[in-house]
Structure formats: C-alpha cells, structure tokens
Amino acid sequence: MGKNQRGSESRVTEGHNPVKNTNNGNIAVVIITLLSMYMIHSMKQESTCPKEKKPLVCVWTIETHKGDLQHVYDSFERLGHQTTDDIDSDWDVFWTNVDPFSNETLDMKIRNLKPHQRVNKMPGVNLFVTQKMMLSVIGSAYIPKSFRFPQQQEEFNQYAMDNPDKLFVEKSIHHHGVSIKSVDEVGKNPEETFVQEYVSNPLLIDGRKFDIGVYVVVTSLDPLRVYALDGDVVFRFCAKPYEPFNSSILAKYVVGSDYYPVWRVQEIQQYLELSYEYKEAFDTHIRSIGREPGNIWKQINSAIQHVFVERLPNLMIPKYKMYRHIKRSFFELMRFDFLVDTDFKVHLIEVNMSPNLSSMQYSHNSILYDQILFSTLSLTGISSFFNPSFQSERRANEMMVAKRNVMVYPELCLKCADCGLSECQLCEPCLTDELLDEIKAAYRENKNQYRFKRVFPPRMTQEDAKSGISSRYDNVITTETRQMYRWFQGKCLLDASFC
C-alpha cells in the first residue's frame, strides 16, 4: 500500500507541474534558435572575411642540400610561417645558403624588394668578408700574416728572408685544398693561391687542436650594427691527436667535416654531462688550468669588430645601393672561426658565409642550431613579424617602438638651436626620418636580441658612454655609423640595458 501511495504521489507531483515543463521547453527553443542564428552569422563572417594568410618564407637551395636546412624549415614553421621554394611567389622572407648576388636569376628577383620583404644575405659581405683571400689580407693583428700569389711574391720573399723558420698554410683561391709548406716550397703551385703563416703553437685540449666557431649577425652596414651569439659557440676538434706532429696528416691540424666532437673530449665531457653549455664547459676548463677565459672572448669580439670596421669602406660599393630598401631588408648570419695558441692569443682563421646548421651528422648540436636560428629571427624582428597586411601600419610599428622611446641627451637637446651641429642631430627638431628609422631598428634589435649581444657599436659602461667615440674610429666609420654609435652612448646613459 505504501509503495502504491509513493508511486501515486510521484505521478501526481509530476503531473501537477505543467507550467514548469512548458517554460523549460520554451527556453530550450529560444536557446536553440539563438545558437542557430549565431552559427549562421559566423558562417557568413567566414565567407566574407577569409583568414589572413600566414607569412611566406622562400627557402632556396640546391636540391641535394635541402636536408641541410631542416632546422631552417622547422624554425619558420614553428613561428607560424609557411615555406616554399618558389622564388616567384609573394614571399615575406627569402632564406638561402648560397650567394644570391652572384646568381643572375636570384639577384634580379631580390633587386626590387617590397618594404616588408627580408633577405638573409647582404650585398658585398661574401666578397669582402667571407671570401678567404680578401679576409686574409686585411692586415689585422688577429689574422695570421698572409700573402697572395703571384701578386705579392716579392713581399713574401722579403718576409721569408726575415723569418726563415716559419711554416705556411697554402690555400687555393678556387677550392678548399690546404697543406703546410716550408718557405722554400711556397709559391710553386701554378694556380692562384694565397698563403697564411701557420700558427705552430696551438692550444691543445685532450691532446687535440681545435677551433672555436662564433655565430655573428650583421643587421646593417651603414650604419654598422653587428651582433655575436653570446650564450654558446661551436667547438670542433681535429680528428687525430696533434702529437707526434706530421704535416702530411691533415687530420692532425685541419678541422674537417668529420671533426672530433666536443662531447667526446674528456676534459670537457665531464661538464657537458651535467648539462652545461659548450661555452660554459670550455670556460670552466680554462679556469681549471689557471687562465682567464674572459680574455679569449674579449679578443674574439675585438677581432669581429676589426673585420667589419676595416671592411666598411669596401662594403659601401656602388652595387650595394642598387637594391631597394637596402637599409632594412637585408641581414646576414655567418660564423667566425678562431684558433687559440698556447700564449692564449686569438687568431681568426676564416669566416663562413653559410655556416653549418645541420645536425644530421652530430645530433647533439640540434638544440644549439635551433637556438641560433630562433635568436637570429628574434634579433631581426622576423619572429615577431606582423601579418603582412599590418607590416606598414604606423600604429602597429609604434606598438614596438615609438619616437618617445628613442630620444637621448635630454639636457643637451633642450638647448639645441642649430641642426648643423653634430651633437644636435639626435635631437627631435633635427632628427631626420631616415635616422629615426635607423635608431628605431636599433632599439628593436636591442630588445629582441635574445642570445645575441652587440659587438658594434661596441658594448660599453655608462662611464665609457660619457667619454665619446674612440679616436681609433676617426676617418674609418661613416657619418651614419658615428651617429648610431652616439645614439647607443646616449641611450646607455639613460638605460643601462643599452650599454
């Protein structure tokens, strides 16, 4: 009986709520109607407002070398870019590991760039910086004494008479052949060659000769702005131990493609196993033998500065000005290779136009190459690329940097009344649009440099910034580079992060 009563009560209760059931049904109908209207509206919006296309990167290389650029493809795709190999497409970035300016087809395609397009090579750099013979005859204290044959035969003969015990490395201008020769053997090759004095006292680690590869990006030639990867570098060791020395065995003193990797070097390996970077492990080893690694890196930065400052007049060749938007469209990533001797003096051996970024042979380098590329794309502003439709929008660019962010020397500028004075040219009434664009670019680079650090204009202290530009740059750097140097000094005085 109780059961029936409960069941009856239940039925009566449900049956006596007709209004509630009706309201629920009406609400459901309203919700479904609203959702349908929203979906129809969204579909109309999508059909009339197509999604913005992703920025496009043209990666151009020889078909057999595509695998060498896998990190390049991966890095761009992770940053939301599409990749293509179609040079005729409407790309935003052009990336290649060859010299496009010596290729007539590529050169013509990139001669008339649109304002937002970027190219990872810079006119003149391959000819005057990365070309081995041209680099070797700069005359820098960091570059071993060099001579070009047959042009400098007499000059070499005199040097040989004064230094009869010297050994030289002879290199062909047209290929990678290298061999050590005595004074008497030099210059016998019928081909055009150059020779470099051999560094006969290389510093050894674990009994092996090694070189240090420092990644460098030049973002502008005039005004000159150069950056070097500060967080890490590449160490490559010769495949065979240096001693007992035998000049006929190249693997003892020439770092080849099958080099001995740093993670197998016992004196470095112990630190790498604790997850330190290559540079940190190297520095710790150098300190363990009683030397200061900071002196090595100071020399390396000075050598990089010297190459670009000395080469700047050559880089300002007429061809450089043939390219549209030359000041903002081009940048270049390269690798400077150094040797350290037993006196802890640094020697610049060569500069690579298209440094290896492939980890196919040595997978341990994978994260290093990823970080080099990310740092490069960050420094140059590509990783924070606005969608193509916004790249020329004034407000979009002022989101990153506006005029108010770059002004310097407030006490001086308050009194400036003559724009003919060089010290007033960075002040608002005298600031040209072209110079403003350049210092805005420098501001963005300083904020976006990630693992790169500025090499030129030189890094400084706030005390250094007060002292003006060093006289050693007189008659060497251009007016535009001098203005950029002064801007960094002025910004350093206001904000130490720019020092």
Side-chain angles (χ1 to χ4, degrees), residues 212-226:
I212 303 173
V214 179
Y215 287 82
V216 172
V217 172
V218 55
T219 58
S220 173
L221 288 176
D222 191 27
L224 182 63
R225 293 193 304 277
V226 183

Side-chain angles (χ1 to χ4, degrees), residues 418-429:
D418 183 0
C419 290
L421 299 174
S422 60
E423 58 266 30
C424 294
Q425 289 169 5
L426 293 170
C427 300
E428 204 282 340

Side-chain angles (χ1 to χ4, degrees), residues 39 82 194 275 321 350 482:
M39 291 175 67
Q82 289 180 308
F194 71 99
S275 296
K321 299 178 181 178
E350 65 179 4
R482 184 174 293 276

Side-chain angles (χ1 to χ4, degrees), residues 268-280:
I268 303 292
Q269 183 185 48
Q270 56 187 331
Y271 303 108
L272 299 182
E273 289 175 348
L274 296 173
S275 296
Y276 290 102
E277 295 177 338
Y278 300 153
K279 183 174 180 286
E280 293 169 340

Side-chain angles (χ1 to χ4, degrees), residues 26 61 160 170 179 191 213 273 358 405 413 428 472 483 495:
N26 290 340
T61 187
E170 187 170 54
S179 60
E191 294 182 348
E273 289 175 348
S358 170
N405 304 127
C413 288
E428 204 282 340
R472 70 190 177 103
Q483 289 172 328
D495 180 352

Side-chain angles (χ1 to χ4, degrees), residues 132 176-178 208-213 234-241 249-264 335 337 349-350 352 356 358 361-362 365 369:
K132 294 180 182 179
H176 297 290
V178 175
R208 296 175 189 267
K209 183 181 173 182
F210 64 95
D211 66 15
I212 303 173
V234 168
F235 293 92
R236 304 180 306 165
F237 289 76
C238 287
K240 293 185 178 295
I249 303 176
L250 294 181
K252 285 179 170 287
Y253 63 94
V254 175
V255 175
S257 57
D258 58 343
Y259 63 87
Y260 194 76
V262 63
W263 52 88
R264 293 182 188 166
R335 193 186 71 221
D337 292 340
I349 304 303
E350 65 179 4
N352 290 276
N356 178 42
S358 170
Q361 184 177 4
Y362 297 111
N365 287 331
Y369 295 147

